[in-house]
């Protein structure tokens, strides 16, 4: 039976303000607060809220037949907390239906997986804690920023304990293979891979309202016919996109939500179901490994990382940013950590791109890629100075590496002890449960003994009384005989 894995990503771009060279050292606030509030409020009103309300109604109308999954960057959650808490409340309402799964992803929606493993693992852990805090779920599936994936990243994800990852069903990786199967990481078969169907996903997120597209207008029954017509053995259809596609990229006036609302009924008529990523991983086995030696993503025609690292400006900014990753982690200053999250966000590097994009390029306030690069490097210069003031650059690499090794070893030791504590707590709970059962058994048997005990006690008491009664008579007899002795003597 075919099943659809429907996934939406929620992330919010953090807009930087115009920051000039002469601001370095004097101004440590880098953001356009007004634009950040305006943009997220607009997206929440035009996209997130109507889309989430539609999905909630779809679950109610279809008796939990419809299922969906989301991932939220930590940065996105922070912005929603400040400017649009109603979105988080609606997501919690969706979560209460039991038909929604939340995935893990890097906290910053950045590129740490390409530069620093320790930073990447820490980010994913922080985001997973945020998901646990809001929705009570511990993510079992990882979705990297923009579906970035390679064999090495897959191995790292498996070592972190994830059961699966989402990534792009790119033609240059799949070759003759279909994206409609479950695959596994080439370096660790335990990690399963769920792939995005490029055409079926982009038909909704990129082309739905394009009147020049040959598939326009797209109807739910036609769309579901294409899925049902796939070969019988191709059972997993991954449809992944940004949630903002519903209302921003594809305006509400295009009837995009009416199309979405009609999908469950059309799927049910054709014997197609909906499943979350974890459900698919539990039900279906991998058909084989997927070799991805070079990094891929869901961006642009190339489906690689050239969107962020395709020109010398981007690579220089990227290298300079991650050159201080270890120092930021050691400093562990709250304000530094927040700026670090915001400066890592992948959109900062995308604004510097010089390559053409079929999806269009929105540079925000920047007039060119060089303008974006100059502004970012000015901010990065001030940020690096602040980091160095906490952890001086004069400290040589050997000393830094030694300190990092110590911190890493301590972290591993703490993690092992935490696992041991959890194991011992479970053992204690088991022993307490067995003790409770034993006490219940003893208490059930004890009433019979208590009844027998008084009878035995009464017997002893009566015997003791009889013995006591005899003893005075003996003493009296003895005393009398002793008194009579002198009289007997006199007579003689």
């Amino acid at each position: 039976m075919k099943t659809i894995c429907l996934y939406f990503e929620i992330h919010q771009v953090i807009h930087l303000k115009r920051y000039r060279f002469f601001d370095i050292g004097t101004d440590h606030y880098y953001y356009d607060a007004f634009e950040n509030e305006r943009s997220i409020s607009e997206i929440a009103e035009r996209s997130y809220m109507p889309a989430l309300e539609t999905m909630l109604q779809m679950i109610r109308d279809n008796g939990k037949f419809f299922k969906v999954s989301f991932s939220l960057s930590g940065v996105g959650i922070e912005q929603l907390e400040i400017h649009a808490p109603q979105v988080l409340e609606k997501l919690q309402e969706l979560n209460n239906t039991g038909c929604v799964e939340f995935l893990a992803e890097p906290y910053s929606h950045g590129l740490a997986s390409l530069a620093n493993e320790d930073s990447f693992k820490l980010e994913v852990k922080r985001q997973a804690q945020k998901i646990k805090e809001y929705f009570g779920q511990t993510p079992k599936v990882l979705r990297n920023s923009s579906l970035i994936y390679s064999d090495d990243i897959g191995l790292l994800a498996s070592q972190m304990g994830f059961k699966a990852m989402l990534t792009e069903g790119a033609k240059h990786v799949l070759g003759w293979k279909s994206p409609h199967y479950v695959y596994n990481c080439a370096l660790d078969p335990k990690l399963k891979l769920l792939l995005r169907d490029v055409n079926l996903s982009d038909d909704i997120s990129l082309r739905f309202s394009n009147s020049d597209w040959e598939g326009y207008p797209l109807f739910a029954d036609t769309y579901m016919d294409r899925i049902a017509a796939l070969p019988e053995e191709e059972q997993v259809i991954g449809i992944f996109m940004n949630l903002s596609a519903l209302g921003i990229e594809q305006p509400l006036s295009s009837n995009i939500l009416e199309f979405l609302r009609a999908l469950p009924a059309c799927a049910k008529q054709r014997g197609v179901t909906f499943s979350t990523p974890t459900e698919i991983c539990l039900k279906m086995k991998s058909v084989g490994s997927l070799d991805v030696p070079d990094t891929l993503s869901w961006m642009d025609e190339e489906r690689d990382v050239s969107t962020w690292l395709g020109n010398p400006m981007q690579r220089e900014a990227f290298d300079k940013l991650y050159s201080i990753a270890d120092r930021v982690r050691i400093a562990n200053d709250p304000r530094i950590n927040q700026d670090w999250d915001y400066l890592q966000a992948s959109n900062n590097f995308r604004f510097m791109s010089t390559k053409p994009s079929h999806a269009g390029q929105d540079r925000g306030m920047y007039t060119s890629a060089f303008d974006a690069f100059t502004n970012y490097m000015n901010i990065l210069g001030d940020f690096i100075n602040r980091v160095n003031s906490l952890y001086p650059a004069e400290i040589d690499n050997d000393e830094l590496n030694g300190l990092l090794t110590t911190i890493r070893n301590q972290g591993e030791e703490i993690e092992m002890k935490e696992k041991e504590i959890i194991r011992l707590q479970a053992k204690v709970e088991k022993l307490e449960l067995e003790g409770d059962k034993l006490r219940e058994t003893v208490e059930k048997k004890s009433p019979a003994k208590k009844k027998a005990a008084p009878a035995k006690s009464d017997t002893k008491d009566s015997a003791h009384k009889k013995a006591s009664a005899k003893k005075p008579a003996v003493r009296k007899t003895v005393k009398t005989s002793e008194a009579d002795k002198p009289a007997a003597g006199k007579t003689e």
Side-chain angles (χ1 to χ4, degrees):
M1 180 180 290
K2 291 180 174 57
T3 190
I4 295 172
C5 181
L6 186 61
Y7 156 81
F8 294 96
E9 201 265 337
I10 300 176
H11 168 64
Q12 180 58 30
V13 171
I14 302 297
H15 298 275
L16 303 177
K17 70 179 181 182
R18 184 64 67 179
Y19 194 93
R20 306 189 185 281
F21 177 79
F22 296 104
D23 294 326
I24 298 175
T26 61
D27 184 3
H28 304 318
Y29 186 77
Y30 312 133
Y31 317 107
D32 187 339
F34 175 80
E35 180 59 23
N36 285 325
E37 181 177 1
R38 185 206 64 80
S39 61
I40 195 168
S41 298
E42 180 182 10
I43 292 174
E45 181 181 354
R46 292 174 50 194
S47 172
Y48 294 168
M49 289 303 292
L52 294 175
E53 183 59 41
T54 297
M55 291 182 211
L56 181 60
Q57 195 59 47
M58 290 165 68
I59 292 173
R60 291 170 176 168
D61 292 345
N62 292 278
K64 297 191 176 183
F65 171 80
F66 175 73
K67 296 180 181 179
V68 64
S69 56
F70 298 94
S71 75
L72 294 84
S73 69
V75 168
I77 293 176
E78 287 182 7
Q79 292 300 298
L80 291 172
E81 287 173 336
I82 298 170
H83 303 300
Q86 69 272 21
V87 175
L88 293 172
E89 291 172 4
K90 186 60 65 176
L91 284 166
Q92 289 173 328
E93 196 173 348
L94 273 161
N95 179 55
N96 293 337
T97 65
C99 298
V100 176
E101 180 177 1
F102 290 92
L103 314 185
E105 72 162 64
Y107 194 94
S108 69
H109 196 270
L111 308 175
S113 61
L114 306 177
N116 192 295
E117 288 186 3
D118 290 332
S119 292
F120 175 70
K121 289 192 289 187
L122 182 60
E123 281 202 53
V124 172
K125 185 177 181 179
R126 288 170 56 214
Q127 186 269 356
Q129 289 173 342
K130 203 81 169 173
I131 294 296
K132 177 73 172 177
E133 174 188 336
Y134 269 99
F135 309 110
Q137 293 190 24
T138 299
K140 300 179 180 64
V141 178
L142 174 65
R143 181 266 188 195
N144 200 1
S145 308
S146 301
L147 297 188
I148 291 174
Y149 178 81
S150 69
D151 292 336
D152 291 332
I153 294 173
L155 177 60
L156 182 60
S158 180
Q159 292 170 346
M160 293 169 67
F162 290 103
K163 305 301 181 186
M165 277 190 74
L166 306 187
T167 190
E168 180 77 344
K171 291 180 181 178
H172 70 276
V173 171
L174 286 170
W176 56 268
K177 297 178 181 178
S178 166
H180 304 139
Y181 294 94
V182 176
Y183 294 92
N184 63 262
C185 173
L187 299 183
D188 191 340
K190 295 193 298 295
L191 184 81
K192 294 182 178 180
L193 301 176
L194 304 182
L195 306 185
R196 176 178 182 261
D197 185 302
V198 177
N199 290 327
L200 288 172
S201 299
D202 288 352
D203 283 351
I204 298 175
S205 62
L206 296 180
R207 296 183 281 269
F208 185 83
S209 61
N210 183 5
S211 59
D212 295 329
W213 173 44
E214 60 182 9
Y216 180 86
L218 180 63
F219 295 104
D221 54 354
T222 306
Y223 186 80
M224 205 55 66
D225 283 340
R226 288 167 55 191
I227 293 175
L230 292 169
E232 184 178 353
E233 62 274 12
E234 298 186 14
Q235 297 186 359
V236 182
I237 296 86
I239 301 174
F240 310 158
M241 68 192 78
N242 290 317
L243 184 60
S244 61
L246 309 179
I248 302 298
E249 287 83 5
Q250 308 305 319
L252 298 180
S253 59
S254 67
N255 293 325
I256 184 70
L257 295 185
E258 284 70 18
F259 168 84
L260 183 70
R261 191 179 289 109
L263 288 179
C266 294
K268 193 177 294 184
Q269 291 172 0
R270 293 158 180 78
V272 179
T273 64
F274 288 85
S275 300
T276 62
T278 296
E279 287 178 339
I280 292 173
C281 291
L282 291 174
K283 293 177 183 176
M284 299 184 183
K285 295 182 179 180
S286 167
V287 297
S289 65
L290 193 66
D291 295 312
V292 189
D294 299 318
T295 311
L296 62 84
S297 76
W298 71 359
M299 294 300 294
D300 298 335
E301 291 293 340
E302 294 83 2
R303 312 292 175 182
D304 57 15
V305 295
S306 60
T307 298
W308 309 284
L309 302 174
N311 63 49
M313 292 185 297
Q314 292 171 308
R315 290 192 294 274
E316 180 181 349
F318 178 82
D319 292 340
K320 191 168 185 179
L321 175 68
Y322 284 101
S323 69
I324 59 169
D326 294 332
R327 296 176 184 273
V328 170
R329 196 167 64 256
I330 293 170
N332 196 27
D333 178 80
R335 180 65 188 277
I336 291 290
N337 289 342
Q338 185 180 58
D339 291 338
W340 173 248
D341 288 335
Y342 294 172
L343 294 177
Q344 279 191 93
S346 62
N347 57 277
N348 292 312
F349 299 95
R350 181 164 171 75
F351 289 149
M352 305 175 201
S353 178
T354 54
K355 61 181 290 190
S357 172
H358 71 281
Q361 173 65 293
D362 178 15
R363 296 191 193 277
M365 70 174 182
Y366 304 117
T367 58
S368 66
F370 182 73
D371 184 27
F373 170 74
T374 302
N375 199 70
Y376 184 80
M377 293 303 282
N378 287 340
I379 291 174
L380 189 56
D382 182 78
F383 179 72
I384 291 175
N385 288 340
R386 291 167 56 206
V387 173
N388 289 338
S389 69
L390 294 173
Y391 196 89
E394 289 77 17
I395 297 178
D396 58 35
N397 289 333
D398 290 338
E399 186 176 350
L400 176 63
N401 289 332
L403 184 56
L404 285 174
T405 300
T406 302
I407 292 173
R408 192 177 298 112
N409 291 340
Q410 288 176 343
E412 291 175 357
E413 185 177 350
I414 290 172
E415 187 175 352
M416 289 176 62
K417 288 183 177 179
E418 286 177 347
K419 290 180 179 178
E420 180 66 13
I421 289 170
I422 292 172
R423 186 185 70 79
L424 291 173
Q425 285 176 339
K427 191 173 182 179
V428 169
E429 290 176 0
K430 184 178 179 181
L431 290 173
E432 288 178 347
L433 184 62
E434 291 177 353
D436 292 340
K437 290 181 179 178
L438 185 59
R439 277 192 292 271
E440 289 178 3
T441 304
V442 171
E443 287 174 358
K444 287 178 180 178
K445 294 180 178 179
S446 61
K449 291 183 178 180
K450 286 180 180 178
K451 288 179 181 178
K456 192 173 182 182
S457 177
D458 290 344
T459 305
K460 287 183 178 179
D461 289 344
S462 59
H464 179 69
K465 287 177 181 177
K466 289 178 180 178
S468 300
K470 289 180 180 179
K471 283 179 182 178
V474 172
R475 288 193 189 106
K476 189 174 182 182
T477 306
V478 172
K479 286 179 179 177
T480 306
S481 60
E482 288 178 351
D484 291 343
K485 279 182 182 180
K490 287 176 180 179
T491 305
E492 288 177 357

